[in-house]
Amino acid sequence: MEATRLTRRAALGAATFAGAAATAASWLGSLRTLRAEDPRPATPDSALRTGSLVPLGYEALPGFLSKEQVGLHHAKHYGGALKALTDIEGRVYSTEGVSDRAARRELGRAQSEKANSVLLHELYFAGMAPASGAPGDDVRTALTA
């Protein structure tokens, strides 16, 4: 069996990798601790922070969306995205973690997708108004252009 010679490049590469791995492990441990012991008070501004659906400002928008449509969208679409996000984060941040690289990457992608859905739904519901208003001059100018 032929002995492999340790080159300067291989030694520096191994040391760099070990340092990066130690830094990443420390950062992940700190992240878990911060998520578990976050001292900031929960605010009702976002389900991403509280884990609970934000309340509806309007049950219906007369002439546009019925009570059934708004309620279904709030409960099923927004609620479903929040439930999925909570489930994913429970798996990602569990004490066991996810050791398989491909599974971790897929969970990260799904986590981003569901967090985006929750956030966009919150913006959607927060932007609801019972009557439409005229767009501002800047919007009219942009539409004309």
Side-chain angles (χ1 to χ4, degrees):
M1 186 161 107
E2 184 178 316
T4 52
R5 222 174 93 192
L6 182 63
T7 64
R8 180 174 177 237
R9 177 177 278 169
L12 286 173
T16 301
F17 178 77
T23 301
S26 173
W27 179 78
L28 287 172
S30 298
L31 182 63
R32 258 192 212 116
T33 302
L34 286 174
R35 287 183 64 89
E37 302 170 5
D38 193 341
R40 294 176 295 175
T43 62
D45 297 336
S46 175
L48 293 175
R49 178 79 181 97
T50 64
S52 300
L53 296 175
V54 295
L56 280 171
Y58 302 96
E59 287 187 347
L61 301 178
F64 183 60
L65 293 172
S66 69
K67 183 176 180 176
E68 292 77 24
Q69 289 171 315
V70 173
L72 177 72
H73 196 116
H74 188 264
K76 296 282 183 178
H77 297 284
Y78 172 46
L82 179 60
K83 181 181 181 329
L85 177 63
T86 304
D87 292 345
I88 290 166
E89 288 190 335
R91 291 171 52 199
V92 170
Y93 299 112
S94 70
T95 54
E96 298 85 33
V98 179
S99 58
D100 179 54
R101 194 178 253 179
R104 194 170 53 241
R105 186 174 35 250
E106 179 59 26
L107 280 174
R109 186 202 58 75
Q111 181 183 22
S112 293
E113 179 185 302
K114 295 305 176 187
N116 286 339
S117 182
V118 168
L119 180 61
L120 290 173
H121 277 96
E122 289 177 358
L123 291 171
Y124 172 76
F125 289 116
M128 285 184 163
S132 63
D137 290 336
D138 55 339
V139 174
R140 272 185 266 173
T141 303
L143 288 173
T144 303

